[in-house]
Amino acid sequence: MAGEFGIEAAGIMEDILGGRFGGVAAEFDLEVWRECYLNPKKVGREIWRRERSTSGPLREIALIYKALRRFSFELKAGKYSEEELRALTTELFSDPEFVQQSRQAEEEMHRELNKHLEVCQHDPGELVEDTLSQFFVTVWLPCMFLLGTSPHALYQRAADGDMLAIRELIQLDSQAKYLPEIARHTAAWERQPQKYKAQVRMLEDARSSLPDKWKNPQHFKLAIIKHVIGVTQEHARVGVSKIKAFTKRDLQHLFDALSRERLGKQIDEDLPLSGEAYKKALKRHGVSQVSSIGWDIFV
């Protein structure tokens, strides 16, 4: 699922970089846009509410996420020992009913994801007809996967006057400069350009460039690869599940296979071939981090 998502989302990233979503949505409301930053859970619930009206399994995904998130907090708090976790997972995976239910849930999620991706592939313009959808695609997605933070957290830092946060926010979102909490800082700088020379130069640069970490679709896929490797290695170490600890080579094969299936290409041309090239790509310029916060907006 991470691979499928990576292929499609990297395509959306390319569209954004190419200016496809450069204008505002047909039904755009600046106050709703501001609300997306200030009340992320309200926005997330609205997006899920819409999806649930036509897609039952998405509700199941949200519930599963909520349960896993709670379990993750309990795990970090030391509620379970490693021995208890191994015993629990051994018991679960030896239960035929549990295994059957897990497979059915996974198949249903795959079907739902493929339906959603098919709609995006045939008519990506549908994603930005209204304010919420445009925000989710052009701000939430790149912020969470490329900048390694949530839009809410970035906005709060910018509203407090953090110059680097303001720069990154305006680079990411061309509408941010119109929002009151950001405009009060930028207007103060521009009213006294001699006093705030560095800030004014920074604003000029921010309005004509993209965030430094947003180089190309490769960054997005590498962020997913790095995250998946970390999660599976930790699961393998603790013994939480029977999932293997993936390597960079495993995930390159996955993206190659998906490129053949979905794009008709022999290999994924965004990703380097050699193991050494992978290491360099992962280290170069601090490759984008997947955010560790902000995922609970949907539950």
Side-chain angles (χ1 to χ4, degrees), residues 89-102:
T89 53
T90 299
E91 181 183 340
L92 284 174
F93 283 98
S94 61
D95 180 349
E97 187 177 349
F98 173 80
V99 172
Q100 177 70 12
Q101 288 176 346
S102 298

Side-chain angles (χ1 to χ4, degrees), residues 11-27:
I12 293 173
M13 294 297 178
E14 267 191 301
D15 286 340
I16 296 172
L17 284 168
R20 181 185 182 99
F21 304 128
V24 296
E27 299 174 14

